[in-house]
């Protein structure tokens, strides 16, 4: 008697290959339009909203101080005004922004003023409003600017930054 195990193995291998090709083809049925799966949706990009604070309103010399406790705001404003002897200068950027420092960066750079659908204003680098490197404008009355960093670590370390406009130089 002659055994043909080699022929049976080849037949099994051929059947497995055909089954694999058939199952592989099932994944491409969706390209024919028979699949019920929807392609993943791209996140909606929030339209760019202009800030209600203009860059030219922030350009100038400012006394700077910060507070953590809201009860310290009045005292901090007085301390910021005293810093006008050594003012923090917010410059005009060449692309319509302001020249300021980001948290923990020694070199100032041009930052943009950004609005949001919630009505909040932000100062930060290119990107959506409220990004990790942005700071929120908590309040601004033309004379006193209060900001707070969005990044929780920077917000904890720097607190509420109070900028008090310095009197014009004589």
């Amino acid at each position: 008697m002659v055994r043909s195990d080699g022929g049976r193995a080849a037949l099994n291998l051929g059947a497995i290959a055909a089954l694999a090709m058939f199952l592989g083809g099932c994944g491409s049925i969706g390209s024919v339009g028979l699949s019920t799966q929807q392609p993943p949706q791209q996140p909606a990009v929030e339209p760019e909203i202009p800030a209600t604070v203009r860059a030219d309103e922030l350009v100038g010399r400012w006394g700077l101080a910060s507070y953590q406790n809201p009860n310290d705001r009045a005292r901090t404003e007085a301390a910021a005004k005293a810093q006008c002897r050594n003012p923090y200068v917010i410059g005009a950027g060449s692309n319509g922004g302001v020249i300021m420092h980001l948290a923990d960066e020694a070199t100032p750079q041009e930052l943009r003023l950004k609005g949001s659908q919630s009505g909040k204003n932000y100062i930060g680098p290119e990107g959506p409003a409220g990004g990790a490197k942005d700071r929120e404008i908590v309040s601004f009355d033309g004379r006193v600017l209060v900001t707070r960093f969005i990044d929780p670590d920077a917000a904890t370390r720097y607190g509420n930054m109070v900028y008090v406009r310095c009197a014009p130089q004589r």
Side-chain angles (χ1 to χ4, degrees):
M1 215 169 170
V2 178
R3 299 182 91 175
S4 70
D5 286 336
R8 181 175 273 165
L11 183 61
N12 286 342
L13 185 59
I16 290 172
L19 182 60
M21 287 176 43
F22 174 74
L23 291 175
C26 287
S28 65
I29 288 176
S31 66
V32 179
L34 300 177
S35 174
T36 59
Q37 282 186 327
Q38 296 292 327
Q41 294 286 336
Q42 295 294 328
V45 176
E46 186 174 314
E48 192 169 307
I49 298 173
T52 58
V53 177
R54 295 184 327 269
D56 64 332
E57 293 178 289
L58 301 182
V59 173
R61 297 168 50 249
W62 299 84
L64 175 61
S66 72
Y67 66 89
Q68 293 287 352
N69 184 342
N71 295 331
D72 293 336
R73 181 173 171 165
R75 180 187 57 77
T76 305
E77 284 184 28
K81 187 174 183 177
Q83 291 299 314
C84 282
R85 285 177 263 131
N86 184 25
Y88 180 81
V89 177
I90 298 177
S94 60
N95 295 313
V98 292
I99 306 294
M100 294 179 76
H101 291 85
L102 288 174
D104 304 322
E105 293 199 15
T107 305
Q109 62 182 298
E110 184 166 0
L111 304 176
R112 299 181 52 216
L113 281 102
K114 308 180 243 184
S116 68
Q117 290 182 339
S118 67
K120 294 180 179 179
N121 292 300
Y122 299 90
I123 303 169
E126 187 76 30
K133 291 187 173 189
D134 286 356
R135 66 188 90 189
E136 177 187 351
I137 297 176
V138 177
S139 66
F140 178 62
D141 65 6
R143 187 186 70 79
V144 177
L145 168 69
V146 179
T147 68
R148 183 163 183 84
F149 285 100
I150 297 299
D151 175 62
D153 184 52
T156 299
R157 286 182 285 116
Y158 294 105
N160 294 285
M161 307 293 290
V162 177
Y163 301 80
V164 175
R165 189 173 299 280
C166 298
Q169 291 180 326
R170 296 177 189 178

